[in-house]
Amino acid sequence: MNPLLIAILVVFGIAAILCVIRIVRGPSILDRTVASDVLLTEVLCVLGADMAINGHTRNVPVMLIIAAVGVFASISVARYVARRDNTTP
């Protein structure tokens, strides 16, 4: 295995663990949303790196679906938080 590939996997692994910790600990829903977006972005980067290393494009539909889920989830949470902030006195 290439030492650069090992270093990349270690960095992405540590970042993923930190994101999961932030998702679990919070403290607010916006922190959890940002952490989940970062985690989805990391998954996209790993899939893209897999495509670049192995020279294929089979992961493109999966990447598009993951990106769409991330965008729609962020929009939904932002609308929920905005609506919640407007109703509290």
Side-chain angles (χ1 to χ4, degrees):
M1 227 182 182
N2 188 357
L4 181 61
L5 182 61
I6 294 172
I8 289 170
L9 290 175
V10 168
V11 169
F12 276 124
I14 291 171
I17 290 169
L18 290 174
C19 285
V20 170
I21 290 171
R22 178 52 59 193
I23 290 170
V24 171
R25 292 184 65 194
S28 71
I29 192 169
L30 294 176
D31 291 330
R32 291 182 171 106
T33 303
V34 170
S36 66
D37 282 344
V38 171
L39 190 60
L40 285 176
T41 303
E42 288 180 33
V43 170
L44 287 172
C45 289
V46 168
L47 289 174
D50 173 55
M51 289 190 329
I53 290 169
N54 295 325
H56 64 82
T57 58
R58 291 185 301 258
N59 293 340
V60 172
V62 175
M63 292 174 70
L64 288 172
I65 291 170
I66 290 173
V69 167
V71 168
F72 293 138
S74 297
I75 291 170
S76 299
V77 170
R79 289 178 59 108
Y80 170 75
V81 170
R83 190 173 299 142
R84 187 182 67 180
D85 287 344
N86 288 339
T87 59
T88 56

Coordinates of all heavy atoms in Angstrom, one line a residue:
M1 N 0.8 -1.2 0.0 CA 0.0 0.0 0.0 C 0.9 1.3 0.0 O 1.9 1.3 0.7 CB -0.9 0.0 1.2 CG -2.3 0.3 1.0 SD -3.2 0.3 2.5 CE -4.8 0.6 1.8
N2 N 0.5 2.2 -0.7 CA 1.2 3.5 -0.8 C 1.2 4.2 0.5 O 0.1 4.4 1.1 CB 0.5 4.3 -1.9 CG 1.3 5.5 -2.3 OD1 2.3 5.9 -1.7 ND2 0.8 6.3 -3.3
P3 N 2.3 4.7 1.0 CA 2.3 5.5 2.3 C 1.4 6.7 2.3 O 0.8 7.1 3.3 CB 3.8 5.9 2.5 CG 4.5 4.9 1.6 CD 3.6 4.5 0.5
L4 N 1.3 7.3 1.1 CA 0.4 8.5 1.0 C -1.0 8.1 1.2 O -1.8 8.8 1.8 CB 0.6 9.2 -0.4 CG -0.2 10.4 -0.6 CD1 0.1 11.5 0.4 CD2 0.0 10.9 -2.0
L5 N -1.4 7.0 0.6 CA -2.8 6.5 0.8 C -3.1 6.1 2.2 O -4.2 6.4 2.7 CB -3.0 5.2 -0.1 CG -4.4 4.6 -0.1 CD1 -5.4 5.6 -0.6 CD2 -4.4 3.4 -0.9
I6 N -2.1 5.6 2.9 CA -2.3 5.3 4.4 C -2.5 6.6 5.1 O -3.3 6.7 6.0 CB -1.1 4.4 4.9 CG1 -1.1 3.1 4.2 CG2 -1.2 4.3 6.4 CD1 0.1 2.2 4.5
A7 N -1.6 7.6 4.8 CA -1.8 8.9 5.5 C -3.1 9.5 5.3 O -3.8 10.0 6.2 CB -0.6 9.8 5.1
I8 N -3.6 9.4 4.1 CA -4.9 10.0 3.7 C -6.0 9.3 4.5 O -6.9 9.9 5.0 CB -5.2 9.9 2.2 CG1 -4.2 10.9 1.5 CG2 -6.6 10.2 1.9 CD1 -4.2 10.8 0.0
L9 N -6.0 7.9 4.5 CA -7.0 7.2 5.3 C -7.0 7.5 6.8 O -8.0 7.6 7.4 CB -6.7 5.7 5.0 CG -7.1 5.2 3.6 CD1 -6.7 3.7 3.5 CD2 -8.5 5.4 3.3
V10 N -5.8 7.7 7.3 CA -5.7 8.0 8.7 C -6.3 9.4 9.0 O -7.1 9.6 10.0 CB -4.2 8.0 9.2 CG1 -4.0 8.6 10.6 CG2 -3.7 6.5 9.2
V11 N -6.0 10.4 8.2 CA -6.5 11.7 8.3 C -8.1 11.7 8.2 O -8.8 12.3 9.0 CB -5.9 12.7 7.3 CG1 -6.6 14.0 7.3 CG2 -4.4 12.9 7.7
F12 N -8.6 11.0 7.2 CA -10.0 10.9 7.0 C -10.7 10.2 8.2 O -11.8 10.5 8.6 CB -10.4 10.3 5.7 CG -10.4 11.3 4.5 CD1 -9.6 11.1 3.4 CD2 -11.2 12.4 4.6 CE1 -9.7 11.9 2.4 CE2 -11.2 13.3 3.5 CZ -10.5 13.1 2.4
G13 N -10.0 9.2 8.7 CA -10.5 8.4 9.8 C -10.6 9.2 11.1 O -11.7 9.2 11.8
I14 N -9.6 10.0 11.4 CA -9.6 10.9 12.5 C -10.7 11.9 12.4 O -11.4 12.2 13.3 CB -8.2 11.5 12.8 CG1 -7.2 10.4 13.2 CG2 -8.3 12.6 13.8 CD1 -5.8 10.8 13.2
A15 N -10.8 12.5 11.2 CA -11.8 13.6 11.0 C -13.2 13.0 11.1 O -14.1 13.6 11.7 CB -11.6 14.2 9.6
A16 N -13.4 11.8 10.6 CA -14.7 11.1 10.8 C -15.1 10.9 12.2 O -16.2 11.1 12.7 CB -14.8 9.8 10.0
I17 N -14.1 10.4 13.0 CA -14.3 10.2 14.4 C -14.7 11.5 15.1 O -15.6 11.5 16.0 CB -13.1 9.5 15.1 CG1 -13.0 8.1 14.5 CG2 -13.2 9.5 16.6 CD1 -11.7 7.4 14.9
L18 N -14.0 12.5 14.8 CA -14.3 13.8 15.4 C -15.7 14.3 15.0 O -16.4 14.9 15.9 CB -13.2 14.9 15.0 CG -11.8 14.6 15.6 CD1 -10.8 15.6 15.1 CD2 -11.9 14.7 17.2
C19 N -16.1 14.1 13.8 CA -17.4 14.5 13.4 C -18.5 13.7 14.1 O -19.5 14.3 14.5 CB -17.6 14.3 11.9 SG -16.7 15.5 10.9
V20 N -18.3 12.4 14.3 CA -19.2 11.6 15.0 C -19.3 12.1 16.5 O -20.4 12.1 17.0 CB -18.9 10.1 14.9 CG1 -19.7 9.3 15.8 CG2 -19.1 9.6 13.5
I21 N -18.2 12.4 17.1 CA -18.2 12.9 18.4 C -19.0 14.2 18.5 O -19.9 14.4 19.4 CB -16.8 13.1 19.0 CG1 -16.1 11.8 19.2 CG2 -16.8 13.9 20.2 CD1 -14.7 11.9 19.5
R22 N -18.9 15.1 17.5 CA -19.6 16.4 17.5 C -21.1 16.1 17.3 O -21.9 16.8 17.8 CB -19.0 17.3 16.4 CG -19.8 18.6 16.3 CD -19.9 19.4 17.6 NE -18.7 19.7 18.2 CZ -18.6 20.1 19.5 NH1 -19.6 20.3 20.2 NH2 -17.4 20.4 20.0
I23 N -21.4 15.1 16.5 CA -22.8 14.8 16.2 C -23.5 14.3 17.5 O -24.6 14.7 17.8 CB -23.0 13.8 15.1 CG1 -22.6 14.4 13.7 CG2 -24.4 13.2 15.0 CD1 -22.5 13.5 12.6
V24 N -22.8 13.5 18.2 CA -23.3 12.9 19.5 C -23.4 14.0 20.6 O -24.4 14.1 21.3 CB -22.5 11.7 19.9 CG1 -22.9 11.2 21.3 CG2 -22.6 10.6 18.9
R25 N -22.4 14.8 20.8 CA -22.3 15.7 21.9 C -23.0 17.0 21.7 O -23.4 17.7 22.6 CB -20.8 16.0 22.2 CG -20.2 14.7 22.8 CD -18.8 15.0 23.3 NE -18.8 15.9 24.4 CZ -17.7 16.5 24.8 NH1 -16.6 16.3 24.2 NH2 -17.8 17.3 25.8
G26 N -23.2 17.4 20.5 CA -23.9 18.6 20.2 C -23.1 19.9 20.3 O -22.1 20.0 19.8
P27 N -23.5 20.9 21.1 CA -24.7 21.0 22.0 C -25.9 21.5 21.3 O -27.0 21.3 21.8 CB -24.2 22.1 23.0 CG -23.2 22.9 22.2 CD -22.6 22.0 21.2
S28 N -25.8 22.0 20.1 CA -27.1 22.5 19.4 C -27.3 21.7 18.2 O -26.5 21.0 17.7 CB -27.0 24.0 19.1 OG -26.1 24.2 18.1
I29 N -28.5 21.9 17.6 CA -28.9 21.2 16.4 C -28.0 21.7 15.2 O -27.7 21.0 14.3 CB -30.4 21.3 16.1 CG1 -30.8 20.3 15.0 CG2 -30.8 22.7 15.8 CD1 -32.3 20.2 14.9
L30 N -27.6 23.0 15.3 CA -26.8 23.5 14.2 C -25.4 22.9 14.2 O -24.9 22.6 13.1 CB -26.8 25.0 14.3 CG -28.1 25.7 14.0 CD1 -27.9 27.2 14.3 CD2 -28.6 25.4 12.7
D31 N -24.9 22.7 15.4 CA -23.6 22.0 15.5 C -23.7 20.6 14.9 O -22.8 20.1 14.2 CB -23.1 21.9 16.9 CG -22.7 23.3 17.5 OD1 -22.3 24.1 16.7 OD2 -22.9 23.5 18.7
R32 N -24.7 19.9 15.2 CA -24.9 18.5 14.7 C -25.1 18.5 13.2 O -24.6 17.7 12.5 CB -26.1 17.9 15.4 CG -25.9 17.6 16.8 CD -27.1 16.9 17.5 NE -26.7 16.4 18.8 CZ -27.2 17.0 19.9 NH1 -28.0 18.0 19.9 NH2 -26.8 16.5 21.1
T33 N -25.8 19.5 12.7 CA -26.0 19.6 11.2 C -24.7 19.9 10.5 O -24.4 19.3 9.5 CB -27.0 20.7 10.9 OG1 -28.2 20.5 11.6 CG2 -27.3 20.9 9.4
V34 N -23.9 20.8 11.0 CA -22.6 21.1 10.4 C -21.7 19.9 10.4 O -21.0 19.5 9.4 CB -21.9 22.3 11.1 CG1 -20.5 22.5 10.6 CG2 -22.7 23.6 10.8
A35 N -21.7 19.2 11.6 CA -20.9 18.0 11.7 C -21.3 16.9 10.7 O -20.5 16.2 10.1 CB -20.9 17.5 13.1
S36 N -22.6 16.7 10.5 CA -23.1 15.7 9.6 C -22.8 16.1 8.2 O -22.5 15.3 7.3 CB -24.6 15.5 9.8 OG -25.3 16.6 9.4
D37 N -22.8 17.4 7.9 CA -22.4 17.9 6.5 C -20.9 17.6 6.3 O -20.6 17.2 5.2 CB -22.7 19.4 6.3 CG -24.2 19.7 6.1 OD1 -24.9 18.7 5.7 OD2 -24.6 20.8 6.3
V38 N -20.1 17.8 7.3 CA -18.7 17.5 7.1 C -18.5 16.0 6.9 O -17.6 15.6 6.1 CB -17.9 18.1 8.3 CG1 -16.5 17.6 8.3 CG2 -18.0 19.6 8.3
L39 N -19.2 15.2 7.7 CA -19.1 13.8 7.5 C -19.5 13.3 6.1 O -18.8 12.5 5.5 CB -19.9 13.1 8.6 CG -19.7 11.6 8.8 CD1 -18.3 11.3 9.1 CD2 -20.6 11.1 9.8
L40 N -20.6 13.9 5.6 CA -21.0 13.5 4.2 C -20.0 14.0 3.2 O -19.7 13.3 2.2 CB -22.3 14.2 3.9 CG -23.6 13.5 4.6 CD1 -24.8 14.3 4.2 CD2 -23.7 12.1 4.1
T41 N -19.4 15.1 3.5 CA -18.3 15.6 2.6 C -17.1 14.7 2.6 O -16.5 14.4 1.5 CB -17.9 17.1 2.9 OG1 -19.1 17.9 2.9 CG2 -16.9 17.6 2.0
E42 N -16.8 14.2 3.8 CA -15.7 13.3 3.9 C -16.0 12.0 3.1 O -15.1 11.4 2.4 CB -15.4 12.9 5.3 CG -14.8 14.0 6.1 CD -14.5 13.7 7.5 OE1 -14.2 12.5 7.8 OE2 -14.6 14.5 8.4
V43 N -17.2 11.5 3.2 CA -17.6 10.3 2.4 C -17.4 10.6 0.9 O -16.9 9.7 0.2 CB -19.0 9.9 2.8 CG1 -19.5 8.8 1.9 CG2 -19.0 9.4 4.2
L44 N -17.9 11.8 0.5 CA -17.7 12.1 -0.9 C -16.3 12.2 -1.3 O -15.9 11.7 -2.4 CB -18.4 13.5 -1.2 CG -19.9 13.5 -1.2 CD1 -20.4 15.0 -1.3 CD2 -20.4 12.7 -2.3
C45 N -15.4 12.7 -0.5 CA -14.0 12.8 -0.8 C -13.4 11.4 -0.9 O -12.6 11.1 -1.8 CB -13.3 13.6 0.2 SG -13.6 15.3 0.1
V46 N -13.8 10.5 0.0 CA -13.2 9.1 0.0 C -13.7 8.4 -1.3 O -12.9 7.7 -1.9 CB -13.7 8.3 1.3 CG1 -13.4 6.9 1.1 CG2 -12.9 8.9 2.5
L47 N -15.0 8.6 -1.6 CA -15.5 7.9 -2.9 C -14.8 8.5 -4.1 O -14.4 7.8 -5.0 CB -17.0 8.1 -3.0 CG -17.8 7.3 -2.0 CD1 -19.3 7.7 -2.2 CD2 -17.7 5.8 -2.3
G48 N -14.5 9.8 -4.1 CA -13.8 10.4 -5.2 C -12.4 10.0 -5.3 O -11.8 9.7 -6.4
A49 N -11.7 9.8 -4.1 CA -10.4 9.3 -4.1 C -10.3 7.8 -4.6 O -9.4 7.5 -5.3 CB -9.8 9.4 -2.7
D50 N -11.3 7.1 -4.2 CA -11.4 5.7 -4.7 C -11.5 5.7 -6.3 O -10.9 4.9 -6.9 CB -12.6 5.0 -4.1 CG -12.8 3.6 -4.7 OD1 -11.9 2.8 -4.7 OD2 -13.9 3.3 -5.1
M51 N -12.3 6.5 -6.8 CA -12.5 6.6 -8.2 C -11.2 7.0 -8.9 O -10.8 6.5 -10.0 CB -13.6 7.6 -8.6 CG -15.0 7.1 -8.3 SD -16.4 8.0 -9.0 CE -15.8 9.7 -9.0
A52 N -10.5 8.0 -8.3 CA -9.2 8.5 -8.9 C -8.1 7.4 -8.8 O -7.4 7.2 -9.8 CB -8.8 9.7 -8.2
I53 N -8.1 6.7 -7.7 CA -7.0 5.7 -7.6 C -7.3 4.5 -8.5 O -6.3 4.0 -9.1 CB -6.9 5.2 -6.1 CG1 -6.4 6.4 -5.2 CG2 -6.1 4.0 -5.9 CD1 -6.5 6.2 -3.8
N54 N -8.5 4.0 -8.5 CA -8.8 2.8 -9.3 C -9.2 3.1 -10.7 O -9.4 2.2 -11.5 CB -9.9 2.0 -8.6 CG -9.5 1.5 -7.3 OD1 -8.3 1.1 -7.1 ND2 -10.3 1.5 -6.3
G55 N -9.4 4.3 -11.1 CA -9.7 4.7 -12.5 C -11.0 4.3 -13.0 O -11.2 3.7 -14.1
H56 N -12.1 4.5 -12.2 CA -13.4 4.1 -12.7 C -14.4 5.3 -12.3 O -14.0 6.2 -11.6 CB -13.9 2.8 -12.0 CG -14.0 2.8 -10.6 ND1 -15.1 3.4 -9.9 CD2 -13.2 2.4 -9.6 CE1 -15.0 3.3 -8.6 NE2 -13.8 2.7 -8.4
T57 N -15.6 5.2 -12.8 CA -16.6 6.2 -12.5 C -17.9 5.6 -11.9 O -19.0 6.2 -12.1 CB -16.9 7.0 -13.7 OG1 -17.4 6.2 -14.7 CG2 -15.7 7.8 -14.2
R58 N -17.8 4.4 -11.3 CA -19.0 3.8 -10.9 C -19.7 4.5 -9.6 O -20.8 4.3 -9.4 CB -18.7 2.3 -10.5 CG -18.4 1.4 -11.6 CD -18.2 0.0 -11.2 NE -17.1 -0.1 -10.2 CZ -15.9 -0.5 -10.4 NH1 -15.6 -0.9 -11.6 NH2 -15.0 -0.6 -9.5
N59 N -18.9 5.3 -8.9 CA -19.4 5.9 -7.7 C -20.1 7.2 -7.9 O -20.6 7.8 -7.0 CB -18.3 6.1 -6.7 CG -17.7 4.8 -6.2 OD1 -18.3 3.8 -6.3 ND2 -16.5 4.9 -5.7
V60 N -20.1 7.7 -9.2 CA -20.7 9.0 -9.4 C -22.2 9.1 -9.0 O -22.6 10.1 -8.4 CB -20.5 9.4 -10.9 CG1 -21.3 10.7 -11.3 CG2 -19.0 9.6 -11.2
P61 N -23.1 8.1 -9.4 CA -24.5 8.2 -8.9 C -24.6 8.2 -7.4 O -25.4 9.0 -6.9 CB -25.1 7.0 -9.5 CG -24.2 6.5 -10.6 CD -22.9 7.0 -10.3
V62 N -23.8 7.4 -6.7 CA -23.8 7.4 -5.3 C -23.4 8.8 -4.7 O -24.0 9.3 -3.8 CB -22.9 6.3 -4.7 CG1 -22.8 6.3 -3.2 CG2 -23.4 4.9 -5.2
M63 N -22.4 9.4 -5.3 CA -21.9 10.7 -4.9 C -23.0 11.7 -5.1 O -23.2 12.6 -4.2 CB -20.6 11.1 -5.6 CG -19.5 10.2 -5.2 SD -18.0 10.5 -6.2 CE -17.5 12.1 -5.6
L64 N -23.7 11.7 -6.2 CA -24.8 12.6 -6.4 C -25.9 12.5 -5.4 O -26.4 13.5 -4.9 CB -25.3 12.5 -7.9 CG -24.4 12.9 -9.0 CD1 -25.0 12.5 -10.3 CD2 -24.2 14.4 -8.9
I65 N -26.3 11.3 -5.1 CA -27.3 11.1 -4.1 C -26.9 11.5 -2.7 O -27.7 12.2 -2.0 CB -27.7 9.6 -4.1 CG1 -28.4 9.2 -5.4 CG2 -28.6 9.3 -2.9 CD1 -28.6 7.7 -5.6
I66 N -25.7 11.3 -2.3 CA -25.2 11.7 -1.0 C -25.1 13.2 -1.0 O -25.5 13.9 0.0 CB -23.8 11.1 -0.7 CG1 -23.9 9.6 -0.5 CG2 -23.1 11.8 0.4 CD1 -22.5 8.9 -0.4
A67 N -24.7 13.9 -2.1 CA -24.7 15.3 -2.1 C -26.1 15.9 -2.0 O -26.3 16.9 -1.3 CB -24.0 15.8 -3.4
A68 N -27.0 15.3 -2.7 CA -28.4 15.8 -2.6 C -29.0 15.7 -1.3 O -29.7 16.6 -0.7 CB -29.3 15.1 -3.7
V69 N -28.8 14.5 -0.6 CA -29.3 14.3 0.7 C -28.7 15.3 1.7 O -29.4 15.9 2.6 CB -28.9 12.9 1.2 CG1 -29.1 12.7 2.7 CG2 -29.8 11.9 0.5
G70 N -27.4 15.6 1.6 CA -26.7 16.6 2.4 C -27.3 18.0 2.2 O -27.6 18.7 3.2
V71 N -27.6 18.4 1.0 CA -28.2 19.7 0.7 C -29.6 19.8 1.3 O -29.9 20.8 2.0 CB -28.1 20.0 -0.8 CG1 -29.0 21.2 -1.1 CG2 -26.7 20.2 -1.3
F72 N -30.4 18.8 1.0 CA -31.8 18.9 1.5 C -31.9 18.8 3.0 O -32.7 19.4 3.6 CB -32.6 17.7 0.8 CG -32.8 17.9 -0.7 CD1 -32.7 16.8 -1.5 CD2 -33.0 19.2 -1.2 CE1 -32.8 17.0 -2.9 CE2 -33.2 19.3 -2.6 CZ -33.1 18.2 -3.4
A73 N -31.0 18.0 3.6 CA -31.0 18.0 5.1 C -30.6 19.3 5.7 O -31.2 19.8 6.6 CB -30.0 16.9 5.5
S74 N -29.6 20.0 5.1 CA -29.2 21.3 5.6 C -30.3 22.3 5.5 O -30.6 23.1 6.4 CB -27.9 21.7 4.9 OG -26.9 20.9 5.2
I75 N -31.0 22.3 4.3 CA -32.1 23.2 4.1 C -33.2 23.0 5.1 O -33.8 23.9 5.6 CB -32.5 23.1 2.6 CG1 -31.5 23.7 1.7 CG2 -33.9 23.9 2.4 CD1 -31.7 23.5 0.2
S76 N -33.5 21.7 5.3 CA -34.6 21.4 6.2 C -34.3 21.8 7.6 O -35.2 22.4 8.3 CB -34.9 19.9 6.2 OG -35.2 19.4 4.9
V77 N -33.1 21.6 8.1 CA -32.7 22.0 9.4 C -32.7 23.5 9.6 O -33.2 24.1 10.6 CB -31.4 21.4 9.8 CG1 -30.9 21.9 11.1 CG2 -31.5 19.9 10.0
A78 N -32.2 24.2 8.5 CA -32.2 25.6 8.6 C -33.6 26.2 8.6 O -33.9 27.2 9.4 CB -31.4 26.2 7.4
R79 N -34.5 25.7 7.9 CA -35.9 26.1 7.9 C -36.5 25.8 9.3 O -37.3 26.7 9.8 CB -36.7 25.5 6.8 CG -36.3 26.0 5.4 CD -37.1 25.3 4.3 NE -38.5 25.5 4.5 CZ -39.3 26.3 3.8 NH1 -38.8 26.9 2.8 NH2 -40.6 26.4 4.0
Y80 N -36.2 24.7 9.8 CA -36.8 24.3 11.1 C -36.3 25.3 12.2 O -37.1 25.8 13.0 CB -36.4 22.9 11.5 CG -36.7 22.5 12.9 CD1 -38.0 22.3 13.3 CD2 -35.7 22.4 13.9 CE1 -38.3 22.0 14.6 CE2 -36.0 22.1 15.2 CZ -37.3 21.9 15.5 OH -37.6 21.6 16.8
V81 N -35.0 25.6 12.2 CA -34.4 26.5 13.2 C -34.9 27.9 13.0 O -35.2 28.6 14.0 CB -32.9 26.4 13.1 CG1 -32.3 27.5 14.0 CG2 -32.4 25.1 13.6
A82 N -35.1 28.3 11.8 CA -35.6 29.7 11.5 C -37.0 29.8 12.0 O -37.4 30.8 12.6 CB -35.5 30.0 10.0
R83 N -37.8 28.8 11.7 CA -39.2 28.8 12.2 C -39.3 28.7 13.7 O -40.1 29.4 14.3 CB -40.0 27.6 11.5 CG -41.5 27.7 11.7 CD -42.2 26.6 11.0 NE -42.0 26.7 9.6 CZ -41.8 25.7 8.7 NH1 -41.9 24.5 9.2 NH2 -41.6 25.9 7.5
R84 N -38.5 28.0 14.3 CA -38.5 27.8 15.8 C -38.1 29.2 16.4 O -38.6 29.6 17.4 CB -37.6 26.7 16.2 CG -37.7 26.4 17.7 CD -36.7 25.3 18.1 NE -35.3 25.8 17.9 CZ -34.3 25.1 18.1 NH1 -34.4 23.9 18.5 NH2 -33.1 25.6 18.0
D85 N -37.1 29.8 15.8 CA -36.6 31.1 16.4 C -37.7 32.2 16.3 O -37.7 33.1 17.1 CB -35.3 31.5 15.7 CG -34.1 30.7 16.2 OD1 -34.2 30.0 17.2 OD2 -33.1 30.7 15.5
N86 N -38.5 32.1 15.2 CA -39.5 33.2 15.0 C -40.7 33.0 15.9 O -41.4 33.9 16.2 CB -40.0 33.1 13.6 CG -39.0 33.7 12.6 OD1 -38.1 34.5 13.0 ND2 -39.1 33.3 11.3
T87 N -41.0 31.8 16.4 CA -42.1 31.5 17.2 C -41.9 31.8 18.7 O -42.8 32.0 19.5 CB -42.7 30.1 17.1 OG1 -41.6 29.2 17.4 CG2 -43.1 29.8 15.6
T88 N -40.6 31.8 19.1 CA -40.3 32.0 20.5 C -40.3 33.5 20.8 O -39.7 34.3 20.0 CB -38.9 31.4 20.9 OG1 -37.9 31.9 20.1 CG2 -39.0 29.9 20.8
P89 N -40.9 33.9 21.9 CA -40.9 35.3 22.2 C -39.6 35.9 22.7 O -38.7 35.4 23.2 CB -41.9 35.4 23.3 CG -42.2 34.1 23.9 CD -41.6 33.1 22.9

